[in-house]
Amino acid sequence: MTEVKPDAVDAIAEQWRRERPDLDLEAMAIVGRLGRLMVVAQQAIEAVFVAHGLQRGEFDVLAALRRSGEPFQLNPSVLADTLMLSRAGMTGRLDRLESAGLVRRIADAADRRAVRVALTDEGRQLVDTVVTEHTRNETRILSVLSAQDRKDLDRIARRLLASLEGDD
C-alpha cells in the first residue's frame, strides 16, 4: 500500500484540532477532500472540452442528443429537463451550438408548432471525438487506483449519493 502524504486538508484539520479539540473532524476531512477532488478533477475534465472549443454545458447538450440514439433529436424542453437547466439557459446553449453548426432546430413532424433539436453531422463527429477523449481522460484520472479501489469507490459514492438524494 502506498504511503499517504499529508495534504492541505490535513493542515486545516490540524488547525481545527488545535483550536477546537472537542470536534470530531473525520467527516470534515473526508468532505473537504471530496470537494477539493471535484475542483481539481473538473479542471482536468473541462480541459478536454475547451481543447475542442466547447464549454461543459455545450458538451452536455451534444452528449444528450448523441446518446438519445437515432435520429439524434430531442425536444428542447426534454433536453432542459435532462440537463436540469432552465428553458432560458437551454435556449442560450442551443443558440451557440446552432451558430457553430453543431445542432439545428427543425420542425417537429408530429406537431408543426413544436421544434426539435437535431445533431448535425459535424456535431455528431465532434461529440464522438470529444466523448472518446473524455472517457480516456477520466480513466487516466482514476488510473492511480486499483480495479478494486475503483469498485469500492463507486460503491461508496453510490451509497452516499443515494442517502443525500433521499433514495435510501
Side-chain angles (χ1 to χ4, degrees):
M1 183 162 186
T2 306
E3 183 181 335
V4 178
K5 297 178 188 174
D7 62 11
V9 174
D10 288 319
I12 291 168
E14 187 52 41
Q15 290 170 334
W16 276 118
R17 260 187 220 94
R18 183 188 68 233
E19 297 299 318
R20 292 286 310 274
D22 59 308
L23 295 176
D24 178 357
L25 301 171
E26 179 184 43
M28 178 189 278
I30 292 169
V31 172
R33 282 190 184 90
L34 289 172
R36 181 71 184 136
L37 175 63
M38 283 311 305
V39 167
V40 174
Q42 206 59 34
Q43 291 170 349
I45 289 166
E46 289 181 3
V48 170
F49 307 137
V50 169
H52 291 279
L54 294 172
Q55 297 174 12
R56 172 67 188 241
E58 294 165 344
F59 170 78
D60 290 344
V61 171
L62 297 175
L65 288 166
R66 177 63 174 97
R67 69 177 183 263
S68 72
E70 289 279 358
F72 311 116
Q73 299 176 9
L74 291 171
N75 176 295
S77 61
V78 170
L79 268 173
D81 291 344
T82 299
L83 301 176
M84 296 178 281
L85 195 63
S86 71
R87 303 300 190 256
M90 180 54 63
T91 298
R93 286 185 190 176
L94 293 177
D95 288 347
R96 288 189 302 275
L97 290 168
E98 190 172 38
S99 292
L102 303 174
V103 301
R104 67 186 190 298
R105 291 175 171 109
I106 56 174
D108 189 319
D111 180 358
R112 293 175 54 117
R113 296 169 295 165
V115 171
R116 295 187 60 79
V117 178
L119 271 179
T120 62
D121 289 341
E122 183 181 347
R124 182 175 175 189
Q125 290 171 3
L126 179 62
V127 73
D128 281 349
T129 297
V130 175
V131 78
T132 298
E133 288 183 32
H134 175 56
T135 57
R136 283 185 190 143
N137 188 39
E138 289 181 328
T139 298
R140 180 193 57 78
I141 289 168
L142 295 178
S143 67
V144 68
L145 303 176
S146 69
Q148 187 59 53
D149 285 345
R150 290 189 304 272
K151 286 179 184 174
D152 290 344
L153 181 58
D154 184 58
R155 177 184 47 78
I156 292 165
R158 283 174 186 268
R159 185 180 335 144
L160 184 56
L161 186 59
S163 76
L164 291 171
E165 290 179 335
D167 294 344
D168 280 344

